[in-house]
Amino acid sequence: MSLINKIFGKPNATGAPITGSHKDLRELVKRLDFGHIKADVRVIMDARTEAEQSFFPHRVKMQKVFDNTVLNDQVFTCMERRKDLTLLRKYELYNPATNEPDKEWTDYLQADCFKLHNNYALDGLFYGYNLIALGDIINDKFPHLGIVNRRNVSPDRHKVASIEYGVLGDDFLSDELAPWHIWCTTPTENGRSPVGYGLLFRIALLEIIARGNRARNATYNEVFGAPLRVGKTTKQEEDERQAVFDMLVNMGGIGAVLLDEGEDEIEFKEVNTGTGYETYANLEDRIHKGISKITLGHGDAVDSTPGKLGAEQGEDNPIAVALRAKQVKDGTYLESIWNDQTLPKLREIGIKIPAQLKFRFLNDEEKEETRKREDANNKTTAEVYKIIKDAGGKPDWKEFSERTGITVEEAPPPPAPVPPGMPQEQEDSKQLTARMRATLNRIYKHQH
């Protein structure tokens, strides 16, 4: 019997959608082309002002700024790195009373739609919020799971408008719509809005500076990085002069000029820039570090060079510590969404997940790190006890077991020495004869 039969108690062999009475808020959004905006520093401030208006605040301009921000390769890489710290972890449904996992329902949550749910939920950390639409249930899964366009979502009014800047819409927290939508938010930062602005608000300014720096760097390379081709001719006919000029231009993508022989002259002199060109790379490097620091907690978390962190290598180096902190923080964030929203809503729409089951990430890596620390401490303790024993002392093995958790029994005393004058072979033969006699006695005693 398929899991869909267990969930709804009846076959669904046709694979037809099970929609219940829900409404998908994505269907409310009209597909109108409002275009993008050219983001600059002033636009960021305008976007914040728009989001903090006393009457009818909107996040439209802010989300348009974010759409440009994520096109930056460094921003995209840091976002993917941050999310992978959580998305690549194993998770399960378990019973807190017994601390035992439920294999059947854990396997159910391994479907691609639920992994996509996790990805969208983590996006809320960057955009400030995300409204996930579950969509129809088909063959016990949610193949059309996605998000509602953030420009049409008002976190202040809890409504989805059909067009951008619309003030009317459907309340996604209503009893009818809430079970089919997951509302992923961040804490407010200034009390002006119930929802935060997300990490991209802090990254956007750096990305705008980076974009301008790259444009100026490209212009610099075009002017000073490529030679200028100069052609001289005595030809006066327009078509002949044009042919010579075309020849110069078609030699490549660099600049060209055509002069009259003996009359006009242009001399290209490369400007002695010294190390001024390095300012572009230096600024870009600092911007990249800033983006990485905001996203991953350390400026070198993406672009670090192996062996350049001095003595702090391995698991305790600053980068590893920063990444673990983000992983734990994001894992806690996602667990709360599952346990406070997703699981209760799945049960409400008819999926019979046992009420006692909770969602959690597995901490195999943390357990391994704890085991390594315990092993290192136990090794140090064992070395101390060995020194005591080798010095002729008598270690307290009971205390050793309490400290390390390792049960140790005191070694038996050594065998008595063989009396002088008795060959070792005789002693061995004597012990063997005694063992045989004891064995025979047990056998005949058992028979009688």
Side-chain angles (χ1 to χ4, degrees), residues 324 327 362-370:
R324 282 199 299 270
Q327 184 185 64
L362 301 180
N363 296 320
D364 293 340
E365 184 176 346
E366 296 177 13
K367 292 179 181 178
E368 183 64 25
E369 292 177 1
T370 301

Side-chain angles (χ1 to χ4, degrees), residues 44-45 48 62 66 126 197-205:
I44 295 179
M45 296 300 104
R48 180 172 181 174
M62 186 175 290
F66 294 168
F126 294 92
Y197 298 148
L199 293 173
L200 287 176
F201 182 76
R202 289 171 171 76
I203 295 172
L205 179 60

Side-chain angles (χ1 to χ4, degrees), residues 319-335:
I319 295 178
V321 172
L323 294 179
R324 282 199 299 270
K326 297 300 181 185
Q327 184 185 64
V328 172
K329 181 179 180 180
D330 294 353
T332 302
Y333 167 81
L334 197 51
E335 285 178 347

